[in-house]
Amino acid sequence: MPVVHVNGIQLHYEEAGEGEPVVMIQGTGAGGTVWQLHQVPALTAAGFRVITLDNRGIPPTSECPEGFTLQDMVGDVARLIEHLGIGPCRVVGTSLGAFITQELALSRPDLVRQAVLIATRGRTDMLRAAITRAEIELYDAGAELPVRYAAVVRALKSLSPRTLDDGEAMADWLDLFELSPAAGPGQRAQMELSTLDHRLGAYRGIRVPCQVIAFADDLITPAHLAREVADAIPGAEYELIEGCGHYGYLEDPATVNKVMVEFLTGAAAR
């Protein structure tokens, strides 16, 4: 199990494939293995070396239950890239992972060759702040929801109506969500970072080639907020994928992988 000691923590990562490196960063509560079902095979087939990691807060990486900042997580990725000697490299992030990626592109452009920002935003609106605060309050109350109920709520938040109306697909998704581990203290710490400060003005200073991928049915990071990020970053490309919710890279991986690989191998890569 590859582990590197960075910024006072133990950071777990995995590698696959050969070629130019791509670092992939997951969102709140998710480990790097989520990428391995669809995105890692697509990128390795395209000739890339793919590095996935478990963010600070997600075991076997240090949980850091005392809490941490977004900049701590940015620093973790920067130190991993430096440790592996792969900078500047391509970086892909989704949700919280996209927040990390765009902040890394801003503060350490020497480490980032291209950035793909999936399901991102550059500010927190009223509804997204309320959702985050409600989830934190539920965790802090020590409430244990019935597993099936929690799975249904997660599905409603994370998937598109197209998937929700597909009985066969939903049976699989609900089974998967029921098997997911309960949130731990590290995930609780990550939740605090979902209330992102207003950063759109700062992102006008990003000079790294960026692609923003948004999902038309995303409740957690709606497409109009992702569009704001693309509009703020000079020269950023924007792709809106229909029929997908927050987990669009799992709902329609073929489309997501196609647009991502085309960006990573296209004119912006040269």
Side-chain angles (χ1 to χ4, degrees), residues 106-206:
L106 179 64
S107 63
R108 293 296 307 272
D110 57 309
L111 298 180
V112 184
R113 180 174 173 180
Q114 291 173 281
V116 178
L117 311 171
I118 303 173
T120 194
R121 51 186 164 86
R123 64 183 177 91
T124 302
D125 63 5
M126 181 63 71
L127 178 58
R128 262 41 68 173
I131 290 172
T132 298
R133 184 49 50 190
E135 290 177 339
I136 289 172
E137 290 178 359
L138 183 65
Y139 179 93
D140 290 347
E144 292 190 15
L145 298 174
V147 173
R148 192 70 172 181
Y149 179 82
V152 169
V153 171
R154 185 175 177 184
L156 290 171
K157 288 195 310 177
S158 306
L159 302 174
S160 68
R162 174 179 61 85
T163 301
L164 294 173
D165 291 339
D166 183 334
E168 185 175 345
M170 277 311 303
D172 292 338
W173 277 104
L174 290 173
D175 287 344
L176 176 65
F177 289 159
E178 286 188 48
L179 293 172
S180 299
Q187 183 172 339
R188 163 64 173 78
Q190 287 187 355
M191 290 179 193
E192 292 283 359
L193 308 183
S194 295
T195 53
L196 186 72
D197 293 335
H198 198 300
R199 298 289 289 160
L200 293 172
Y203 293 157
R204 295 190 180 95
I206 293 177

Side-chain angles (χ1 to χ4, degrees), residues 117 119-122 200 212-215 221-233 235-240:
L117 311 171
T120 194
R121 51 186 164 86
L200 293 172
V212 175
I213 299 177
F215 303 120
T221 51
H224 71 274
L225 295 182
R227 177 83 239 196
E228 290 179 350
V229 175
D231 289 343
I233 299 173
E237 298 184 16
Y238 177 76
E239 294 282 348
L240 177 64

